[in-house]
């Protein structure tokens, strides 16, 4: 005997604060951007491999304390490349700086006469952010599009921050260029030395982030909640279990 399927009503709430999609970049453009980025970062990796001693853990530090050392024969390494202060590596570091820029963006909108200083490199905005998205869950980097769009408003006179998602498995090349075991997110600050070719190509081939609801929110207009009503059926297995004793 065929059982009659029971219907049920499901309600869904629509919200304008949906996830923002990443800018679309072609595979050919990704390869060119990756090549330019690795060429820019290679001097940092070379300096790190020649003059930065890798840590071997706490035990190695304790062992060094027991061995007397003399500073007379030590040769000081040359200063690190100027580019180092313009490059942020790591999702946490990039996110923290975007938060700072977002706070400044709010101050700019509140008082348009305020001019935020950009002489200090640590306070400069990003020109572009590069993320190796392959193999990473969206929950780790899904916040970057909205944060980059908001942070761009901290310096409205400058080109909006470009966010580049590299879909190919490029972590190995980035790690080799920087001399770091693992790299997933890199931020290049405004005015970085020798970055003109990379930034110009990225700005030309990667569109800026567009968030329509941000402009609508400025209007401060009331909008009623949109409730979607969907009629569906109760699953046959679930409906059958309801009739069994002890369920």
């Amino acid at each position: 005997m065929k059982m009659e399927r029971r219907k049920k009503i499901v309600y869904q709430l629509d919200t304008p604060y949906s996830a923002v999609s990443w800018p679309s970049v072609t595979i050919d453009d990704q390869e060119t951007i990756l090549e330019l980025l690795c060429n820019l970062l290679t001097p940092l990796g070379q300096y790190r491999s020649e003059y930065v001693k890798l840590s071997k853990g706490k035990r190695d530090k304790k062992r060094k304390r027991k061995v007397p050392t003399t500073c007379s024969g030590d040769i000081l390494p040359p200063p690190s490349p100027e580019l180092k202060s313009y490059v942020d590596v790591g999702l946490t570091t990039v996110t923290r700086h975007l938060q700072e820029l977002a706070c400044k963006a709010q101050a700019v909108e509140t008082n348009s006469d305020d001019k935020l200083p950009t002489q200090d490199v640590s306070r400069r905005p990003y020109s572009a952010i590069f993320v190796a998205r392959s193999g990473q869950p969206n929950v780790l980097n899904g916040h970057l599009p909205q944060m980059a769009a908001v942070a761009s408003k901290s310096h409205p006179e400058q080109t909006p921050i470009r966010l580049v998602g590299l879909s190919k498995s490029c972590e190995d090349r980035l790690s080799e260029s920087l001399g770091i075991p693992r790299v997933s997110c890199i931020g290049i600050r405004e005015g970085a030395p020798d970055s003109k070719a990379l930034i110009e190509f990225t700005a030309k081939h990667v569109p800026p982030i567009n968030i329509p609801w941000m402009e609508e929110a400025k209007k401060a207009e009331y909008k009623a909640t949109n409730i979607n009503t969907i009629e569906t059926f109760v699953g046959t297995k679930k409906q059958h279990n309801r009739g069994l004793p002890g369920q």
Side-chain angles (χ1 to χ4, degrees), residues 113-173:
D113 295 333
D114 293 341
K115 293 184 178 180
L116 301 176
T118 57
Q119 298 299 327
D120 187 2
V121 175
S122 63
R123 305 181 67 178
R124 291 192 178 189
Y126 291 127
S127 296
I129 300 173
F130 306 91
V131 184
R133 299 182 62 195
S134 58
Q136 284 191 352
N138 187 56
V139 68
L140 291 180
N141 50 46
H143 62 285
L144 290 178
Q146 296 190 42
M147 293 194 68
V150 175
S152 296
K153 298 183 180 297
S154 64
H155 294 271
E157 75 283 356
Q158 296 180 355
T159 305
I161 300 173
R162 293 303 199 266
L163 180 63
V164 184
L166 301 173
S167 58
K168 296 183 65 177
S169 180
C170 60
E171 290 188 19
D172 293 340
R173 289 197 59 187

Side-chain angles (χ1 to χ4, degrees), residues 53-78:
K53 192 171 184 179
L54 300 180
S55 174
K56 297 182 179 179
K58 295 181 179 180
R59 292 184 178 180
D60 186 67
K61 292 181 179 180
K62 293 180 180 179
R63 191 182 303 112
K64 288 182 179 180
R65 294 194 190 117
K66 300 178 181 180
V67 179
T69 58
T70 57
C71 300
S72 58
D74 293 344
I75 300 177
L76 295 178

